[in-house]
Structure formats: structure tokens, C-alpha cells
DNA sequence: GCGGAATACTTGCGCGTGCAACTGGTTGTA
DNA sequence: TACAACCAGTTGCACGCGCAAGTATTCCGC
């Protein structure tokens, strides 16, 4: 084991994080595709379904799901074509638009989310002791606060002023 | 807060993991692009540079970096065009091919990796107490073992027989 | 040692995404 | 009121990727 720059412990530390992410993504995507839902579309529907009025501003949604504005435009296009979401004008700002889940979209996420959560339990949360999981989450929360501002764009008025 | 299926704690637990991943990816990609390296190409070069002889079988490499065979073929094509890697025939199996880092490729990763590690320190490892980081890594190792078999394809002879 | 199944890589094709340019709407300044 | 800077969302374009089909080689049963 050469004390090489290429073998830095920090490199393997994020490597671990990334590999876990890939692995989980893969498993979860498989299950979601049984419902005809790519992961990104599932996440958008989920976030809409959780929001008051089932709606969110396009730009807030884009920030939450880490998608570019253009990417989100087309994603919502696809959802709209399938009748899972629709757009609504923003009364206070005529530039803006809301994305809104339709009842059908809501039914679909609620159906898909059950198996989804089961898989999370099987491949992630269930593999760890409760205390272990709590420790991981608390650590990740710190990191998220640093690297992913706007994770909760549009959820709290205060968040906008950060 | 409705005790809704959509607000399951496990959902927010992976959400956290995924958001951290996105955030880190974004920051790191920015730095790598200063060296003209997309993250996937950096990772491939890094893994090659760390391997004995600077070489790895295409299929092992694909498994390690979670890329499809086709995807890796083209990624190595790009590296080859830039003179950062090349292919070598496998003497024992004429179907197979090795990807090999060139000296120039090695110079580039070694140059890029310094800033890369600095950013990891700043946005991940440095944000956590040593014990905290150790706990996270130990937990993630368990998860990886479950969800990402083949994370070390081609590194140990035993791994091939799983 | 012959024929079929499995394996290692490559290629054609379609799709989702980011980036940059564009349209229309809003806010600030004088 | 007029003008400029800015902002929200959409569209054109190029690119990287997965999937499935194709080619070449190796492995296995008989």
C-alpha cells in the first residue's frame, strides 16, 4: 500500500457514499419502473403530493429535486401528458407557474410508495441499528446543510432569505 | 403533519442520503471540470491509476464504476482519443481487453486529485468529528456490502467466485 | 473434437438532461 | 411614465448513458 495521493482515506470515504447511492438507486429504480415511474418523476410527484394544495412553484421544485429549470420543464411536460400532473397559473406573478398533482397522480405515488418504502427498509434502514441510523442521519444532515442549500425551497418562507 | 404514507421517516432518511450525494457531486464536478474531466472519466482514470500495471479489464472496470458495458466502451473511447488511456489485448482471453492509463493520464489524475481531496475535506470529511465520520463509514460499508456487490470486481481473485 | 450456450466487448438507437439563447413579466430608478 | 436590469419558464442543441442486437471468442457436454 503506497502512501500515494491516490489512496487518500478521504477518497475512499466519499467513494463509499457514492457506491451506496448507486446501489440503492439501482434497486429502487427497478421497483419504481414496475409502476412506470422513472425515479425523477416519482420524486417530483412525491414532493407535490406532500405539499399543501398538491402544488409547488416550478423553480422551487427544480431546486428541491436538483434539476435544471429546463429539465424540470420537460419532466412536468411528460407528467402532464400522462395526466399525472398539470400546470396552474400563479395569480400573484404572471411569469410563474405551479405544478399540481392530479388525483390520478396522487393515486399512483401512493400506490408506488409502499413497495418503495419496503425496499428502503430492506436495503438501507433495516440494515442498521436504530442508533446507527440516527447517527448517520444526524451526520448527513450537517453535510446537507452545507452542500445543498435550497433542499427545502418553497417549504418555509424563512428559507428564502438565507 | 398527517401520519401519511408519504411522510414515512424512511423516505426522509434516504432522501437525506440522496441530497447529500447530489450536493457533493455538484461541488466536486465543478472542480474536476477545471481539469477538463467529467466525474465519470475522473473515476475511471483514478481506478486505473490505482491498479497494478495501471490496467483493468473492461468488464471489471464497468462493475466498479457502475456503468453499463456499452457506456464504458465509449468512455474509454473518449479517454483514448485524448491520449489519457489506451486499450491492450488480454493475452489469456482474446475476447477481453484491458484499459490502461497512459503516463499523461496518470499525470492528469494526480494533478486533479489534489483539489479534489481538498474539496472532499471541506464539504464532507471535515464537517464531521472523526468518530462521527468513522460511524458513518462503518454503517455505509454494511449497506454497500448488501446493495453493491462487485464494488471491488477485479481487485481480489476471491471476488470473482462470488 | 464438434455444436451450442455463455461471455467480452462493440454499435445503433432513443431518451433524459444541462447549457445557452429566447420570450414575456416584474421591479427599481429617475 | 419610461427605461433598464432582472427573473420565471420554455425551447434548440449536443452529449452521455442504458438497452438490445451484433460479432468474436471461449467453455462445456457428449
Amino acid at each position: 500500500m503506497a502512501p500515494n495521493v491516490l489512496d487518500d482515506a478521504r477518497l475512499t470515504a466519499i467513494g463509499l457514499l457514492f457506491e451506496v447511492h448507486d446501489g440503492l438507486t439501482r434497486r429502487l429504480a427497478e421497483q419504481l419502473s414496475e409502476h412506470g415511474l422513472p425515479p425523477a418523476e416519482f420524486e417530483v410527484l412525491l414532493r407535490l403530493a406532500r405539499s399543501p394544495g398538491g402544488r409547488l412553484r416550478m423553480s422551487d421544485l427544480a431546486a428541491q429535486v436538483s434539476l435544471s429549470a429546463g429539465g424540470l420543464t420537460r419532466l412536468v411536460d411528460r407528467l402532464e401528458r400522462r395526466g399525472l400532473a398539470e400546470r396552474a397559473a400563479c395569480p400573484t406573478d404572471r411569469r410563474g407557474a405551479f405544478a399540481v398533482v392530479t388525483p390520478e397522480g396522487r393515486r399512483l405515488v401512493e400506490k408506488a410508495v409502499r413497495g418503495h418504502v419496503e425496499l428502503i427498509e430492506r436495503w438501507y434502514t433495516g440494515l442498521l441499528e436504530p442508533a446507527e441510523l440516527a447517527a448517520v442521519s444526524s451526520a448527513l444532515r450537517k453535510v446537507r446543510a452545507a452542500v445543498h442549500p435550497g433542499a427545502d425551497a418553497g417549504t418555509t418562507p424563512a428559507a428564502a432569505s438565507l
Side-chain angles (χ1 to χ4, degrees), chain A:
Chain A
M1 294 292 161
N4 199 311
V5 248
L6 302 182
D7 287 316
D8 193 292
R10 290 161 290 190
L11 239 27
T12 74
I14 15 129
L16 198 47
L17 181 67
F18 286 8
E19 285 167 12
V20 165
H21 173 265
D22 291 351
L24 288 173
T25 296
R26 212 166 289 278
R27 310 265 177 183
L28 297 177
E30 193 177 342
Q31 185 263 335
L32 289 175
S33 76
E34 292 170 11
H35 299 273
L37 279 178
E41 300 184 12
F42 172 75
E43 199 189 345
V44 162
L45 287 178
L46 182 63
R47 295 190 116 106
L48 288 177
R50 280 204 290 227
S51 299
R55 68 187 53 213
L56 237 27
R57 284 293 293 268
M58 292 292 283
S59 44
D60 292 332
L61 194 46
Q64 285 188 23
V65 302
S66 302
L67 221 58
S68 70
L72 184 67
T73 290
R74 282 185 262 249
L75 193 155
V76 173
D77 285 347
R78 295 194 294 276
L79 294 178
E80 211 163 12
R81 259 179 260 127
R82 292 177 57 188
L84 302 173
E86 53 193 27
R87 277 169 232 251
C90 175
T92 67
D93 186 341
R94 280 156 56 191
R95 293 171 301 184
F98 285 103
V100 192
V101 237
T102 61
E104 192 176 339
R106 194 178 289 270
R107 273 195 298 276
L108 182 58
V109 237
E110 285 174 355
K111 184 155 70 78
V113 83
R114 303 177 194 282
H116 189 72
V117 169
E118 277 177 27
L119 256 64
I120 297 170
E121 178 70 20
R122 171 152 49 191
W123 296 110
Y124 183 45
T125 55
L127 295 175
L128 305 175
E129 304 297 330
E132 215 174 1
L133 177 60
V136 171
S137 289
S138 127
L140 291 182
R141 240 183 297 275
K142 292 185 195 170
V143 179
R144 180 182 60 178
V147 298
H148 192 17
D152 32 9
T155 61
T156 55
S161 57
L162 278 177

